[in-house]
Amino acid sequence: QVQLVESGGGLVQPGGSLRLSCAASGSIFSINVMGWYRQAPGKQRELVATITNGGSTNYADSVKGRFTISRDNAKNGVYLQMNSLKPEDTAVYYCNAVTLSPFGTRRDYWGQGTQVTVSS
């Protein structure tokens, strides 16, 4: 079992910045990939960015060049630095951790979510 707790959301003006943090606990040794997803009202949850144990990253096209995902293995944390925020970035942001069993079975864990609102 993996537990995830996010922090750092809030209200910011367009063009501003926020940094989201996610702390993992539990069976952290089993985590392969961590990432951030978001869900806006009336829309499906979508991938924002992911980072592997080895540090390889992947970003949604809509956030490339503006968001940066990073990981601190010593602190069991993953972070999302969000710059040049736009109103369309408004959503609930969820931390995600993926574990793979020795047989290749994938399991996803989710945090409770943190609200990000971009508005003037």
Side-chain angles (χ1 to χ4, degrees):
Q1 294 287 333
V2 174
Q3 295 79 42
L4 303 170
V5 178
E6 304 105 331
S7 61
L11 173 65
V12 64
Q13 292 186 342
S17 298
L18 279 176
R19 186 174 187 254
L20 305 183
S21 300
C22 174
S25 60
S27 301
I28 56 176
F29 59 89
S30 63
I31 296 175
N32 292 87
V33 181
M34 295 191 74
W36 292 92
Y37 289 70
R38 66 187 181 187
Q39 187 167 17
K43 295 187 177 182
Q44 289 188 334
R45 191 173 297 188
E46 63 177 5
L47 180 146
V48 176
T50 61
I51 185 166
T52 68
N53 284 347
S56 296
T57 58
N58 180 50
Y59 295 92
D61 288 343
S62 59
V63 306
K64 283 181 180 177
R66 300 188 298 122
F67 291 11
T68 302
I69 189 170
S70 60
R71 188 166 172 178
D72 186 334
N73 290 328
K75 295 183 178 180
N76 304 319
V78 64
Y79 311 95
L80 186 68
Q81 178 66 43
M82 304 185 293
N83 299 328
S84 302
L85 282 160
K86 305 175 181 180
E88 50 263 43
D89 294 318
T90 295
V92 177
Y93 283 69
Y94 296 92
C95 181
N96 168 263
V98 177
T99 63
L100 291 175
S101 76
F103 304 101
T105 302
R106 171 178 174 146
R107 183 168 181 177
D108 284 72
Y109 295 89
W110 298 94
Q112 80 284 357
T114 184
Q115 177 70 47
V116 172
T117 302
V118 184
S119 176
S120 55

